[in-house]
Amino acid sequence: MKTLPVVDLLVIIAYLVGMIAVGVYFSRNNKSADQFTKASGKIPGWAIGMSIYATFLSSNTFLGVPGKAFGSNWNSFVFSLAMPLSAWVAARYFVPFYRNTGEVSAYTHLEHRFGAWARTYAVVCFLLTQLARMGSIFFGIALSLQALTGYPMATIMIVVGICIILYTVMGGMEAVIWTEVVQGVIKTAGALIILYLVVDGMPGGVDKIIEIGKADDKFSLGSFAPNFSQSTFWVIFLYGFFMNLNNFGMDQNYVQRYHTTTSIKEAARSIWLCVYLYVPVSLMFFVLGSCLYAYYQTNPELLDAIRMQVAGERLPNGSPEAIRQLAATLSPAEYGDKVMPHFMVNKVPAGLVGLIVAAILSAAMSTISSSMNASATVFSVDIYQRYLKPNLSGAQSLRLLYVATTVFGVLGMMAGIAMIGVKSVLDIWWQLSGIFAGGMLGLFLLGMISRQTQNAEALAATLIGVLVIVWMTFSPQIPDEYAALRSTFHLNMVMVVGTLTIFLVGLLLTRLRGKKLEPVSELKPNNSVINQ
């Protein structure tokens, strides 16, 4: 740890003040709940695309992906390769569906199809997923800033969280979108700078990086064997397809943005712009992780310092000898997340550190602010106005959104503090999101595709799906004497199996009732509308 130069501190402070200023500027427009949640539907499609891209490119990507590539290989990049297929389904079917319903909440349709329980179930899944997302991102940003400043991780989360709450509460969705446009540019530029510095400081340059990467199998996308018990290519592809489909089709963060554009065509274009940007940029982060791996292999004394740091954190009261012994046993996967913050502290020149920290802040703030806004919208529409007080005035609705945004920001900080000490920020996010969101997409697909499925079949399928998700999640905790009852699937398959269980069981129960399935007409793209 070393003290940040004044110039870098000024850059960071200027960035934070600038983000708050954006919130103040757009606060003048927030006169209604519709403006706060939809920005009155006047945002251009390219800005929405940049906003969605910035939400995807969180600190989980900025720090977790290089750490993952450092500790293993490019297997996790398969998640990005699955994104175009999910985007095609979402742009062709989901976007027209949501725009034609006109509902700001992604979950209102579930109540129309199956009753209030379905809407409530989806809302609970969504809110739990958002808390996991915000927590993992708060943790990721604190991980890097602690290395730079020496301040406690909890303190960093609180300071950054207050700034995010301020501009999100004041500016609403319009501030979220336009700050994310700026943040998307800043975080991409920051990653390019770090990549250049690593390659420039590498003895032997790109050729040496490729040589070390090939020797240690760092560029592998995983095994192509049909094995679903390990993190193979197919496991990550299936997880990526279903999770991205859940993001584009069920996540309020994205669905809410479809209503901020001027037409269905602009909303669909925003999805594809996100894909065109995110896939190559996510590849860049994997390249960065491999470059860092090669750099530290040629500078083993730096690697020893990281190992000792991680061992010291795990044994805060351990003797120097015990810490050294533990450090010698650590694998790259156990300290991969620490490498990029260490490089920033020791190898990035003064003046650029502030810009890179601003990029990391951007990576965190863009996703957290959208999660806060979407969570507040869902709570307001799907919980408070649905069950507690349906007839709110305009001023009351806006006040409720302000309070809910603040509360979810605080809860996100608390979730981040609770994650302090996890090994991989990317792993913990993938596991939690797969568990919490596993059944929501299956229920939604069942409601959209199967016209004949009714409340009873949907409820039974959901209960069975939840039991399957719980079983797969807690299988590792089953005692050895009952080992035969454990799931053989990889944990990333929880999302896939949970979704398919609810969907297929729902179809089966409907068939058993003797009803003939037929596609919902709402799923057929309305060409006259799409071409608006």
Side-chain angles (χ1 to χ4, degrees), residues 65-105:
V65 166
K68 195 69 176 172
F70 182 99
S72 56
N73 51 33
W74 288 8
N75 176 235
S76 298
F77 177 61
V78 179
F79 177 91
S80 300
L81 295 180
M83 185 179 286
L85 181 58
S86 304
W88 180 84
V89 175
R92 184 172 176 82
Y93 298 113
F94 288 175
V95 169
F97 173 77
Y98 283 120
R99 289 284 302 204
N100 289 334
T101 63
E103 299 285 354
V104 68
S105 169

Side-chain angles (χ1 to χ4, degrees), residues 226-243:
N227 184 346
F228 298 99
S229 63
Q230 299 177 2
S231 187
T232 61
F233 177 95
W234 304 111
V235 166
I236 303 303
F237 187 86
L238 286 171
Y239 172 81
F241 171 72
F242 280 97
M243 182 53 71

Side-chain angles (χ1 to χ4, degrees), residues 56-57 101 109 116 156 166 170 179-181 200 235 267 302 306 327 335 338 427 454 463 466 489 491 494 501:
F56 263 99
L57 191 59
T101 63
H109 171 70
I156 293 169
L166 284 174
M170 289 188 295
T179 53
E180 285 184 332
V181 171
D200 184 62
V235 166
L302 298 177
I306 295 176
Y335 54 80
K338 300 283 188 179
D427 280 347
Q454 297 179 3
L463 290 174
V466 169
F489 287 107
L491 275 178
V494 172
T501 298

Side-chain angles (χ1 to χ4, degrees), residues 10-187:
L10 291 176
V11 171
I12 297 170
I13 292 172
Y15 167 77
L16 292 175
V17 171
M19 292 299 99
I20 295 174
V22 171
V24 173
Y25 176 80
F26 285 112
S27 66
R28 303 175 304 170
N29 299 330
N30 277 329
K31 306 301 182 185
S32 67
D34 184 70
Q35 173 65 31
F36 189 90
T37 58
K38 296 183 182 180
S40 296
K42 297 178 180 178
I43 306 294
W46 67 266
I48 301 300
M50 281 291 294
S51 174
I52 296 175
Y53 159 71
T55 299
F56 263 99
L57 191 59
S58 67
S59 60
N60 290 343
T61 304
F62 206 101
L63 297 169
V65 166
K68 195 69 176 172
F70 182 99
S72 56
N73 51 33
W74 288 8
N75 176 235
S76 298
F77 177 61
V78 179
F79 177 91
S80 300
L81 295 180
M83 185 179 286
L85 181 58
S86 304
W88 180 84
V89 175
R92 184 172 176 82
Y93 298 113
F94 288 175
V95 169
F97 173 77
Y98 283 120
R99 289 284 302 204
N100 289 334
T101 63
E103 299 285 354
V104 68
S105 169
Y107 314 116
T108 305
H109 171 70
L110 288 174
E111 181 171 5
H112 296 160
R113 282 288 285 115
F114 300 128
W117 71 266
R119 181 179 185 178
T120 302
Y121 169 72
V123 166
V124 171
C125 288
F126 170 76
L127 293 178
L128 288 174
T129 304
Q130 295 315 298
L131 289 178
R133 171 183 280 163
M134 288 189 284
S136 64
I137 293 168
F138 269 120
F139 168 71
I141 190 174
L143 190 68
S144 60
L145 294 188
Q146 183 194 42
L148 286 166
T149 65
Y151 291 118
M153 294 178 72
T155 302
I156 293 169
M157 293 185 206
I158 292 171
V159 172
V160 174
I162 290 173
C163 293
I164 300 172
I165 290 171
L166 284 174
Y167 80 74
T168 306
V169 168
M170 289 188 295
M173 178 54 76
E174 196 167 8
V176 168
I177 290 172
W178 287 112
T179 53
E180 285 184 332
V181 171
V182 176
Q183 289 162 345
V185 174
I186 292 175
K187 68 180 77 175

